[in-house]
Amino acid sequence: MSDVRFAVVGTPGDRRVTMFRDAAVAAGLAEPHVISWRDVLAGREIGAPEGALLRVDSPGEDGEADALLRGPGDPARVGGGAAWYAAFRAGLSRVAAIPGARLLGDVEEISVMFDKRRCHAVLAGAGVPVPPAFEATSYDGLRAEMARRGWSRVFVKPAHGSSASGVIAFQTHGDRVQAVTSAAWVEGVLCNSLRVRTYTSSGEVRRIVDFLAHDGLHVEQWFPKASTGGRPFDLRVVTVAGVPTHAVLRAGRSPMTNLHLGGSRGDLDAVRSRADLWERVLEACSQAAACFPGSLSTGVDVMVGADWRSVAVAEVNAFGDLLPGLGDLAGNGRDTYAEQVRAVLAGAR
């Protein structure tokens, strides 16, 4: 058995932690030492074996961790992103201070990836193709800046959201508005749902946008996406040690392609069969990953234009490697976690 020992900051029993453990054990390594996000966030004592390679993973859907991050409340609620982010960064600082451990993900890079405004600025500054964007702090400010720029269609994203929480596909035509989002009011609380809704009342849209704006908004010009089978799609591309290793095509029934919102895995060959386009996709993902050299893995959301030529990076995710059952692009059969273990053993970090 190798003397390499992993440690993982995560939620015990969560499938992210379990799948990474399985990959480590399959490679002949000891089970990773697990550090609970609950302990990190609650200020309890934390530690790792001397010399352990420390992987930081998502807090997942743990209700207690969510309460420590955002405060008490329904975990399904939308909002509270600024409080979540502040607590998350404090937690990352505690993790970085664990003696004797070596981080597999730079905590400052993770922080940047969890702020859509900062991440977009880093990508744009490095020449990565991204949609034009601006920040908004209110519905009136959003409308005014859209009018100033001559934009009628945008994606409005909470600065610190994930999994499409609070994301709004918004468009205007004169006095008419349309907002497509998975957010809905439930007994006065704005919550995520698994059903995408369309709002056409400016009053309803204003109420949602102004609520979300308290935590900051990142607004991107709508990038018209290519479709396959009559459904718009994007790609989630996982990079390991800076190299694209896994990809899934996500086709949606709405502007949101997230799998939990009704999206489905489509035929990746629709893109891979177009050699020039596929090369541009991989190059954009490699460029994006290069912006985060201290991160073993990233999940890059990349869009293909309706012209089937242009590409644009929508987001880079610090914890974007949860893609069960997905083999690597090289055809070796390794999932995203096995690929990361292999890369570490090969000396990537």
Side-chain angles (χ1 to χ4, degrees), residues 73-141:
D74 186 343
R77 71 193 187 280
V78 181
W84 186 100
Y85 187 64
F88 180 64
R89 292 197 69 185
L92 290 176
S93 295
R94 292 201 70 215
V95 169
I98 294 176
R102 292 178 289 164
L103 286 166
L104 290 174
D106 182 89
V107 296
E108 181 56 28
E109 291 183 3
I110 294 173
S111 294
V112 171
M113 284 185 266
F114 268 94
D115 186 324
K116 290 180 173 58
R117 301 161 301 187
R118 295 176 67 195
C119 187
H120 185 276
V122 167
L123 295 173
V128 178
V130 290
F134 63 86
E135 297 178 26
T137 57
S138 68
Y139 178 75
D140 287 338

Side-chain angles (χ1 to χ4, degrees), residues 133-250:
F134 63 86
E135 297 178 26
T137 57
S138 68
Y139 178 75
D140 287 338
L142 166 69
R143 295 296 305 272
E145 185 62 17
M146 287 177 64
R148 190 186 74 82
R149 292 172 178 248
W151 296 357
S152 61
R153 306 173 78 194
V154 296
F155 271 85
V156 182
K157 303 178 179 181
H160 308 297
S162 61
S163 301
S165 175
V167 172
I168 304 168
F170 181 60
Q171 53 187 312
T172 65
H173 183 76
D175 293 333
R176 290 179 291 171
V177 300
Q178 177 176 289
V180 179
T181 180
S182 62
W185 296 101
V186 179
E187 297 181 356
V189 178
L190 190 63
C191 293
N192 291 303
S193 75
L194 298 179
R195 183 167 72 85
V196 177
R197 293 166 168 79
T198 300
Y199 297 90
T200 56
S201 162
S202 60
E204 289 180 319
V205 178
R206 175 189 293 276
R207 183 185 178 200
I208 294 173
V209 171
D210 281 342
F211 176 80
L212 296 173
H214 291 298
D215 291 322
L217 296 173
H218 174 71
V219 183
E220 292 180 351
Q221 186 177 29
W222 192 302
F223 183 86
K225 291 186 286 195
S227 296
T228 179
R231 301 172 69 182
F233 71 86
D234 64 9
L235 304 168
R236 164 64 59 84
V237 179
V238 174
T239 70
V240 177
V243 177
T245 58
H246 297 73
V248 61
L249 184 150
R250 308 181 301 184

Side-chain angles (χ1 to χ4, degrees), residues 7-18 20 32-41 44 46-47 54-62 64-66 68-69 88 91-92 95 98 319:
V8 179
V9 179
T11 297
D14 182 87
R15 57 180 176 164
R16 294 175 180 271
V17 173
T18 300
F20 185 78
H33 174 79
V34 179
I35 302 166
S36 170
W37 265 112
R38 294 183 184 183
D39 291 340
V40 172
L41 297 168
R44 292 189 280 265
I46 55 175
L54 182 55
R55 168 185 170 85
V56 181
D57 215 327
S58 169
E61 300 175 358
D62 180 56
E64 185 174 326
D66 183 74
L68 290 167
L69 286 161
F88 180 64
L92 290 176
V95 169
I98 294 176
F319 308 137

